[in-house]
Short mmCIF file of all heavy atoms in Angstrom, two decimals:
data_model
loop_
_atom_site.label_atom_id
_atom_site.label_comp_id
_atom_site.label_asym_id
_atom_site.label_seq_id
_atom_site.Cartn_x
_atom_site.Cartn_y
_atom_site.Cartn_z
N THR R 19 -16.29 -5.57 -9.21
CA THR R 19 -16.13 -6.72 -10.01
C THR R 19 -14.78 -7.28 -9.88
O THR R 19 -13.82 -6.50 -9.50
CB THR R 19 -16.38 -6.43 -11.56
OG1 THR R 19 -15.32 -5.59 -12.00
CG2 THR R 19 -17.69 -5.75 -11.77
N SER R 28 -3.15 -4.54 -9.06
CA SER R 28 -1.98 -4.48 -9.98
C SER R 28 -1.46 -3.01 -9.85
O SER R 28 -0.21 -2.81 -9.74
CB SER R 28 -2.43 -4.79 -11.41
OG SER R 28 -1.48 -4.40 -12.29
N GLU R 37 0.47 -11.47 -13.12
CA GLU R 37 1.02 -11.97 -11.94
C GLU R 37 -0.06 -11.94 -10.81
O GLU R 37 -0.13 -12.87 -10.01
CB GLU R 37 2.26 -11.14 -11.54
CG GLU R 37 2.85 -11.45 -10.13
CD GLU R 37 3.31 -12.92 -9.97
OE1 GLU R 37 3.47 -13.61 -11.05
OE2 GLU R 37 3.56 -13.35 -8.88
N VAL R 42 -3.99 -15.01 -7.52
CA VAL R 42 -5.33 -15.22 -7.05
C VAL R 42 -5.73 -16.66 -7.39
O VAL R 42 -6.31 -17.37 -6.56
CB VAL R 42 -6.31 -14.25 -7.76
CG1 VAL R 42 -7.74 -14.63 -7.49
CG2 VAL R 42 -6.05 -12.85 -7.32
N SER R 54 -14.50 -17.30 -3.23
CA SER R 54 -14.79 -16.68 -4.56
C SER R 54 -13.65 -16.02 -5.14
O SER R 54 -12.61 -15.78 -4.46
CB SER R 54 -15.95 -15.65 -4.32
OG SER R 54 -15.41 -14.57 -3.65
N PRO R 98 -30.76 21.70 -0.18
CA PRO R 98 -31.29 22.20 1.09
C PRO R 98 -31.20 21.20 2.24
O PRO R 98 -31.37 20.00 2.01
CB PRO R 98 -32.78 22.45 0.71
CG PRO R 98 -32.79 22.56 -0.76
CD PRO R 98 -31.68 21.71 -1.29
N TYR R 102 -35.37 15.12 9.40
CA TYR R 102 -35.96 13.77 9.28
C TYR R 102 -36.32 13.27 10.71
O TYR R 102 -35.83 13.83 11.73
CB TYR R 102 -34.93 12.85 8.66
CG TYR R 102 -33.75 12.50 9.56
CD1 TYR R 102 -33.78 11.38 10.43
CD2 TYR R 102 -32.55 13.29 9.62
CE1 TYR R 102 -32.70 11.05 11.27
CE2 TYR R 102 -31.56 12.98 10.44
CZ TYR R 102 -31.65 11.85 11.25
OH TYR R 102 -30.65 11.56 12.10
N SER R 121 -15.39 11.47 -11.64
CA SER R 121 -16.80 11.12 -11.50
C SER R 121 -17.37 12.13 -10.42
O SER R 121 -16.64 12.92 -9.83
CB SER R 121 -16.97 9.67 -11.04
OG SER R 121 -18.35 9.34 -10.95
N HIS R 132 -20.70 18.58 11.16
CA HIS R 132 -20.42 18.68 9.72
C HIS R 132 -21.49 19.60 9.07
O HIS R 132 -21.19 20.37 8.22
CB HIS R 132 -20.55 17.25 9.05
CG HIS R 132 -19.39 16.36 9.59
ND1 HIS R 132 -19.61 14.97 9.54
CD2 HIS R 132 -18.25 16.58 10.12
CE1 HIS R 132 -18.55 14.38 10.03
NE2 HIS R 132 -17.70 15.26 10.45
N LYS R 145 -15.81 25.08 -3.54
CA LYS R 145 -14.73 24.70 -2.62
C LYS R 145 -14.29 23.29 -2.81
O LYS R 145 -15.10 22.47 -3.08
CB LYS R 145 -15.13 25.00 -1.15
CG LYS R 145 -15.51 26.41 -0.86
CD LYS R 145 -14.36 27.25 -0.41
CE LYS R 145 -14.80 28.61 0.08
NZ LYS R 145 -13.74 29.53 0.37
N THR R 157 -27.83 1.39 -3.37
CA THR R 157 -28.33 0.12 -4.00
C THR R 157 -28.07 0.23 -5.45
O THR R 157 -27.44 -0.58 -6.10
CB THR R 157 -29.77 -0.11 -3.70
OG1 THR R 157 -29.89 -0.17 -2.24
CG2 THR R 157 -30.18 -1.48 -4.18
N ILE R 184 -23.39 11.99 -12.61
CA ILE R 184 -23.66 10.85 -11.66
C ILE R 184 -24.06 9.72 -12.55
O ILE R 184 -24.77 9.82 -13.46
CB ILE R 184 -24.79 11.17 -10.73
CG1 ILE R 184 -24.35 12.35 -9.74
CG2 ILE R 184 -25.21 9.93 -9.98
CD1 ILE R 184 -25.30 12.40 -8.51
N VAL R 203 -31.63 -5.01 -9.72
CA VAL R 203 -33.01 -5.36 -10.25
C VAL R 203 -34.03 -4.67 -9.35
O VAL R 203 -33.77 -4.30 -8.16
CB VAL R 203 -33.25 -6.90 -10.36
CG1 VAL R 203 -32.20 -7.60 -11.16
CG2 VAL R 203 -33.24 -7.48 -8.94
N TYR R 228 -17.82 -27.73 12.72
CA TYR R 228 -17.66 -28.01 14.09
C TYR R 228 -16.80 -29.28 14.16
O TYR R 228 -17.07 -30.26 13.59
CB TYR R 228 -19.00 -28.23 14.78
CG TYR R 228 -19.67 -26.95 15.15
CD1 TYR R 228 -20.45 -26.27 14.23
CD2 TYR R 228 -19.42 -26.29 16.41
CE1 TYR R 228 -21.03 -25.00 14.54
CE2 TYR R 228 -19.95 -25.06 16.65
CZ TYR R 228 -20.74 -24.42 15.73
OH TYR R 228 -21.27 -23.19 16.02
N ASN R 231 -17.04 -30.19 19.09
CA ASN R 231 -17.85 -29.09 19.65
C ASN R 231 -17.13 -27.76 19.60
O ASN R 231 -17.57 -26.83 20.28
CB ASN R 231 -18.21 -29.44 21.11
CG ASN R 231 -19.27 -30.53 21.19
OD1 ASN R 231 -20.13 -30.57 20.26
ND2 ASN R 231 -19.22 -31.35 22.12
N ILE R 242 -14.96 -18.13 18.16
CA ILE R 242 -16.35 -18.09 18.79
C ILE R 242 -17.28 -17.50 17.71
O ILE R 242 -17.14 -16.31 17.34
CB ILE R 242 -16.33 -17.22 20.07
CG1 ILE R 242 -15.37 -17.86 21.03
CG2 ILE R 242 -17.73 -17.03 20.65
CD1 ILE R 242 -15.11 -16.97 22.29
N PRO R 243 -18.14 -18.37 17.16
CA PRO R 243 -18.79 -17.92 15.93
C PRO R 243 -19.98 -16.88 16.29
O PRO R 243 -20.48 -16.80 17.30
CB PRO R 243 -19.46 -19.19 15.40
CG PRO R 243 -19.68 -20.10 16.64
CD PRO R 243 -18.51 -19.73 17.60
N GLY R 256 -42.12 -9.12 -13.33
CA GLY R 256 -43.05 -9.03 -14.55
C GLY R 256 -42.43 -9.82 -15.76
O GLY R 256 -43.14 -10.28 -16.54
N ASN R 259 -39.49 -14.55 -12.47
CA ASN R 259 -39.31 -14.60 -11.07
C ASN R 259 -38.06 -15.30 -10.71
O ASN R 259 -37.58 -16.13 -11.48
CB ASN R 259 -40.56 -15.06 -10.30
CG ASN R 259 -40.85 -16.44 -10.60
OD1 ASN R 259 -40.09 -17.37 -10.41
ND2 ASN R 259 -42.08 -16.71 -11.17
N GLU R 284 -37.46 -17.02 14.80
CA GLU R 284 -37.62 -18.44 15.09
C GLU R 284 -39.03 -18.67 15.69
O GLU R 284 -39.41 -19.86 15.68
CB GLU R 284 -36.42 -18.91 16.04
CG GLU R 284 -35.18 -18.96 15.29
CD GLU R 284 -33.93 -19.26 16.17
OE1 GLU R 284 -33.82 -18.67 17.23
OE2 GLU R 284 -33.12 -20.16 15.78
N ASN R 310 -27.47 -22.70 -8.22
CA ASN R 310 -27.43 -23.71 -7.07
C ASN R 310 -27.50 -25.04 -7.72
O ASN R 310 -28.54 -25.50 -8.13
CB ASN R 310 -28.62 -23.39 -6.15
CG ASN R 310 -28.46 -24.35 -4.93
OD1 ASN R 310 -28.07 -25.52 -5.04
ND2 ASN R 310 -28.93 -23.83 -3.78
N ILE R 332 -34.48 9.29 1.70
CA ILE R 332 -33.89 9.19 0.42
C ILE R 332 -34.68 9.88 -0.59
O ILE R 332 -34.17 10.59 -1.46
CB ILE R 332 -33.63 7.71 0.07
CG1 ILE R 332 -32.53 7.11 1.08
CG2 ILE R 332 -33.17 7.52 -1.37
CD1 ILE R 332 -32.58 5.66 1.26
#
Side-chain angles (χ1 to χ4, degrees):
T19 66
S28 166
E37 173 61 16
V42 172
S54 67
Y102 72 91
S121 185
H132 298 155
K145 298 271 189 191
T157 304
I184 291 195
V203 300
Y228 282 87
N231 286 326
I242 297 170
N259 61 59
E284 287 173 313
N310 183 327
I332 292 156

